[in-house]
C-alpha cells in the first residue's frame, strides 16, 4: 500500500492506493472504523470478484443463485449504501471517499457533484473521454453513447460521514456483471476503457488516481474549526 498526504485549504486528507485486491468485507470494517473516529481519507483500490446489493436492491436483478456465485469465486455482499446490485472486478478503479460533511459544511448534493466532476475531469485528462451524468440513473456515461455506462456510484451518508463511492471500468472483464442487472439495467450496457481500444494499464490507472485526488482536494471546503484557529 502506498499513501500520500495532501494539505489543502488548511486541512489534511490522506490518500491511499492499495496494490493488491482488497476483500470487500475488509473494506466494510475499515469504513465503519473511519466513521466511528471521524477519520477522513480517500482509498483507491480493486476488489476480487464481488456483487453487492444496496438498501434498494431488487432480488429479480440477481440472475444467479448463491451456489453458482460461490462456485465461480464471486462473493455476494449486502450492504447499507444506496442503490441496487452492482459488481466489483479486478481491473476497476474503485474510489472510496471518507469525509466529514458536517465539519466541512458540505451538502450531500455538493459532495456528489464534486466526486463526479473529479471523475469526469480525470477521465478526460487521461483518455480524452467525455463523460456525462444521467439524473435518472446514478453514474457516468459516454457522452457520444449516453446509454453506455462506464462508472458506477453508490454512497452511504451516515452521521454526515461518507463512505463507499465510485467504480470506473478500466480493464475488467464483466464476468460478475453478467450475473446481475446492474442498477436494474442490462449488463451489456456497461463498457470499459479497454473495450474502447484505449490503453488501460497500470500507468494510465495511476495517472487517473493522481488526477482525481488532485482535482477533488483542490476544491475541498476546509474544516471551519481550523479556519477559526
Amino acid at each position: 500500500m502506498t499513501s500520500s498526504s495532501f494539505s489543502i485549504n488548511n486541512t489534511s486528507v490522506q490518500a491511499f492506493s492499495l496494490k493488491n485486491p482488497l476483500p470487500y468485507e475488509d473494506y466494510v470494517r475499515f469504513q465503519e472504523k473511519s466513521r466511528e473516529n471521524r477519520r477522513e481519507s480517500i482509498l483507491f483500490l480493486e476488489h476480487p470478484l464481488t456483487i453487492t446489493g444496496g438498501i434498494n436492491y431488487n432480488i429479480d436483478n440477481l440472475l444467479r443463485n448463491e451456489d453458482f456465485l460461490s462456485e465461480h469465486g464471486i462473493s455476494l455482499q449486502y450492504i447499507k449504501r444506496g442503490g441496487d446490485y452492482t459488481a466489483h472486478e479486478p481491473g476497476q478503479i474503485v474510489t472510496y471517499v471518507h469525509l466529514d460533511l458536517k465539519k466541512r459544511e458540505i451538502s450531500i448534493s455538493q459532495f456528489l457533484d464534486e466526486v463526479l466532476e473529479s471523475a469526469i475531469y480525470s477521465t478526460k485528462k487521461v483518455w480524452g473521454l467525455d463523460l456525462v451524468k444521467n439524473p435518472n440513473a446514478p453514474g457516468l456515461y459516454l457522452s457520444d453513447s449516453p446509454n453506455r455506462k462506464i462508472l458506477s456510484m453508490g454512497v452511504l451518508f451516515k452521521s454526515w460521514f461518507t463512505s463507499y463511492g465510485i467504480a470506473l471500468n478500466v480493464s475488467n472483464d464483466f464476468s460478475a456483471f453478467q450475473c446481475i442487472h446492474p442498477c436494474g439495467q442490462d449488463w451489456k450496457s456497461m463498457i470499459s476503457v479497454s473495450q474502447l481500444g484505449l490503453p488501460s494499464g497500470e500507468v494510465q490507472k495511476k495517472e487517473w488516481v493522481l488526477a482525481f485526488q488532485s482535482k477533488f482536494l483542490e476544491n475541498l471546503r476546509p474544516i471551519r474549526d481550523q479556519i477559526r484557529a
Side-chain angles (χ1 to χ4, degrees):
M1 179 174 65
T2 59
S3 67
S4 51
S5 183
F6 292 81
S7 294
I8 305 291
N9 293 334
N10 299 318
T11 189
S12 178
V13 175
Q14 200 163 25
F16 298 92
S17 294
L18 279 62
K19 294 182 178 180
N20 298 317
L22 182 73
Y24 203 86
E25 53 270 28
D26 289 353
Y27 169 69
V28 172
R29 287 190 289 268
F30 176 88
Q31 60 91 7
E32 289 173 349
K33 275 191 168 183
S34 295
R35 178 176 296 103
E36 180 182 343
N37 297 306
R38 312 296 287 189
R39 184 175 62 241
E40 297 183 318
S41 65
I42 304 177
L43 296 186
F44 299 95
L45 52 82
E46 297 182 8
H47 286 302
L49 291 173
T50 306
I51 290 172
T52 64
I55 57 176
N56 300 314
Y57 77 88
N58 179 349
I59 194 63
D60 292 335
N61 289 328
L62 182 64
L63 306 180
R64 300 290 187 178
N65 61 37
E66 293 191 33
D67 288 340
F68 177 93
L69 298 179
S70 179
E71 289 171 6
H72 289 79
I74 302 173
S75 173
L76 178 62
Q77 305 281 336
Y78 287 95
I79 57 176
K80 296 179 181 179
R81 63 152 175 80
D84 202 338
Y85 288 102
T86 192
H88 292 296
E89 304 171 339
Q92 288 180 322
I93 301 176
V94 180
T95 304
Y96 292 135
V97 181
H98 312 99
L99 213 64
D100 192 328
L101 300 187
K102 184 175 182 179
K103 284 186 177 180
R104 293 186 183 275
E105 298 183 346
I106 299 173
S107 70
I108 290 174
S109 62
Q110 287 173 327
F111 171 79
L112 294 174
D113 284 343
E114 289 295 338
V115 170
L116 289 178
E117 289 300 330
S118 297
I120 290 170
Y121 165 83
S122 306
T123 306
K124 176 71 172 178
K125 182 176 181 180
V126 177
W127 291 291
L129 292 173
D130 292 310
L131 305 184
V132 293
K133 306 173 189 176
N134 182 337
N136 300 314
L140 292 176
Y141 301 75
L142 302 181
S143 64
D144 57 359
S145 300
N147 62 325
R148 305 306 301 271
K149 187 175 186 179
I150 199 168
L151 182 144
S152 303
M153 185 175 204
V155 181
L156 172 64
F157 302 95
K158 184 178 179 182
S159 303
W160 290 95
F161 193 89
T162 68
S163 58
Y164 301 101
I166 58 175
L168 177 69
N169 299 323
V170 181
S171 59
N172 46 309
D173 64 7
F174 296 101
S175 55
F177 277 100
Q178 295 178 44
C179 300
I180 60 174
H181 289 314
C183 298
Q185 302 176 11
D186 187 334
W187 74 267
K188 294 179 182 178
S189 67
M190 307 293 291
I191 197 163
S192 68
V193 171
S194 62
Q195 286 179 328
L196 293 169
L198 297 171
S200 55
E202 293 306 311
V203 171
Q204 289 76 29
K205 291 177 184 177
K206 184 175 181 180
E207 288 176 354
W208 191 93
V209 165
L210 292 173
F212 180 95
Q213 63 190 23
S214 177
K215 182 68 173 177
F216 182 80
L217 294 172
E218 174 186 324
N219 297 324
L220 183 60
R221 180 174 295 182
I223 296 176
R224 180 169 294 275
D225 289 347
Q226 293 188 354
I227 296 177
R228 290 171 177 167

